[in-house]
């Protein structure tokens, strides 16, 4: 193809890297006659944030829902650490090392922060106090409000709570859908900074879906740009940030 903005996906070197923890190959999914994903291929490695970017309707949320089993693909393959999980049951994904935080910051409003975390940990049986302490150490703001009802939290604090709840599953890969939605830029920067620190410290792999491309690229290692269900380009986040033509064409800044 000519340039970076044609119909054929471009995959540029994303820097030194090892074996992918998550591998998505030729993933196709549809809602009735509408094809939401059209042969999507990407990978995510441990200790790296892979940002999936694109406009509304690009297929970003469908991609996460298909990876986590909420949507069944028409074609393609999803593997986690070499294991084919394409047809695995949704409830089995946590045991395999995947946690999915969907858009919307779903908390149980009447329960306290601490109770929300405990409800989220029920599927694991007994969870050590040290694991709760780790979540509170990562997100000091919710530690300060651990005995407050969740409905008293700000939007940013709710986002920290749902991410913390997902971390109690001790995932190897975290799927995050639009965590910045509706939040002030200062809070977005704080949450993304905490996420970056967590990834660097624990070699967690994060697949981050975001419409706020500028913020996502500021903390990501690799960026994948989707357009109408197809991968347009995969490259280092810093290279995508520097590509003014691509940013204007697909990322809106």
């Amino acid at each position: 193809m000519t340039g970076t903005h044609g119909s054929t996906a471009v995959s540029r070197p994303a820097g030194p890297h090892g074996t992918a923890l998550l591998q998505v190959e030729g993933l196709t999914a549809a809602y009735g006659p509408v094809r939401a994903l059209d042969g999507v291929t990407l990978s995510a490695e441990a200790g790296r944030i892979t940002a999936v970017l694109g406009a509304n309707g690009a297929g970003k949320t469908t991609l996460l829902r298909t990876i986590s089993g909420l949507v069944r693909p028409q074609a393609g393959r999803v593997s986690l650490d070499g294991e084919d999980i394409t047809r695995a049951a949704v409830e089995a994904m946590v045991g395999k090392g995947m946690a999915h935080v969907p858009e919307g910051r779903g908390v149980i409003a009447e329960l306290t922060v601490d109770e929300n975390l405990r409800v989220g940990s029920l599927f694991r049986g007994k969870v050590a106090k040290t694991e709760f302490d780790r979540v509170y150490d990562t997100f000091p703001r919710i530690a300060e409000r651990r005995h407050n009802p969740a409905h008293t939290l700000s939007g940013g604090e709710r986002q920290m709570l749902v991410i913390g709840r997902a971390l109690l599953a001790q995932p190897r890969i975290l799927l995050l859908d639009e965590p910045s939605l509706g939040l002030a830029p200062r809070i977005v920067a704080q949450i993304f900074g905490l996420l970056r620190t967590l990834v660097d410290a624990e070699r967690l792999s994060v697949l981050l879906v975001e419409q706020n491309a500028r913020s996502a690229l500021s903390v990501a290692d690799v960026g994948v740009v989707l357009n109408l269900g197809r991968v347009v380009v995969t490259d280092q986040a810093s290279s995508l940030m520097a590509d003014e033509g691509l940013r204007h064409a697909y990322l809106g800044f």
Side-chain angles (χ1 to χ4, degrees):
M1 76 180 260
T2 302
T4 60
H5 310 140
S7 60
T8 303
V10 173
S11 182
R12 303 175 182 142
H17 54 87
T19 304
L21 177 64
L22 176 76
Q23 187 70 49
V24 175
E25 300 170 275
L27 207 60
T28 298
Y31 300 108
V34 179
R35 181 169 287 189
L37 299 177
D38 190 3
V40 170
T41 294
L42 59 82
S43 62
E45 297 166 24
R48 302 188 107 198
I49 298 175
T50 302
V52 180
L53 312 168
N56 279 335
K60 305 186 302 297
T61 291
T62 300
L63 175 63
L64 292 196
R65 289 173 58 83
T66 306
I67 290 171
S68 66
L70 293 168
V71 172
R72 291 301 178 192
Q74 294 178 324
R77 183 176 187 268
V78 180
S79 58
L80 183 62
D81 204 15
E83 178 187 356
D84 188 341
I85 61 168
T86 313
R87 302 289 171 184
V90 176
E91 56 271 20
M93 293 300 189
V94 170
K96 294 179 182 298
M98 180 182 293
H100 182 185
V101 179
E103 179 188 323
R105 299 190 280 277
V107 299
I108 303 173
E110 296 78 14
L111 299 184
T112 66
V113 166
D114 202 66
E115 288 166 342
N116 266 275
L117 287 179
R118 292 185 184 283
V119 167
S121 70
L122 289 178
F123 60 88
R124 284 194 52 209
K126 186 174 178 60
V127 176
K129 178 181 180 297
T130 54
E131 295 184 43
F132 288 97
D133 290 343
R134 169 175 161 264
V135 170
Y136 286 131
D137 288 343
T138 302
F139 300 109
R141 286 183 66 102
I142 64 170
E144 295 167 6
R145 293 156 176 76
R146 63 189 301 168
H147 301 302
N148 294 12
H151 70 79
T152 66
L153 301 183
S154 67
E157 290 162 353
R158 290 188 184 205
Q159 187 64 68
M160 293 174 195
L161 175 55
V162 295
I163 294 173
R165 192 168 60 192
L167 292 176
L168 284 176
Q170 295 186 315
R172 290 181 290 168
I173 184 163
L174 181 65
L175 311 185
L176 271 179
D177 193 355
E178 300 280 8
S180 76
L181 191 66
L183 300 182
R186 176 178 59 84
I187 302 302
V188 173
Q190 182 182 11
I191 290 174
F192 280 5
L194 290 169
L195 186 64
R196 181 74 254 178
T197 300
L198 183 69
V199 167
D200 291 339
E202 303 193 14
R203 288 195 56 76
L204 179 68
S205 179
V206 173
L207 192 60
L208 169 66
V209 154
E210 259 299 338
Q211 194 166 343
N212 186 340
R214 189 192 299 272
S215 292
L217 289 173
S218 72
V219 295
D221 299 286
V222 176
V224 179
V225 180
L226 289 187
N227 184 51
L228 300 177
R230 296 182 178 182
V231 175
V232 177
V233 63
T234 299
D235 203 353
Q236 293 181 47
S238 57
S239 297
L240 293 181
M241 185 74 89
D243 190 331
E244 185 175 353
L246 183 137
R247 289 193 285 107
H248 289 334
Y250 296 109
L251 303 180
F253 75 98

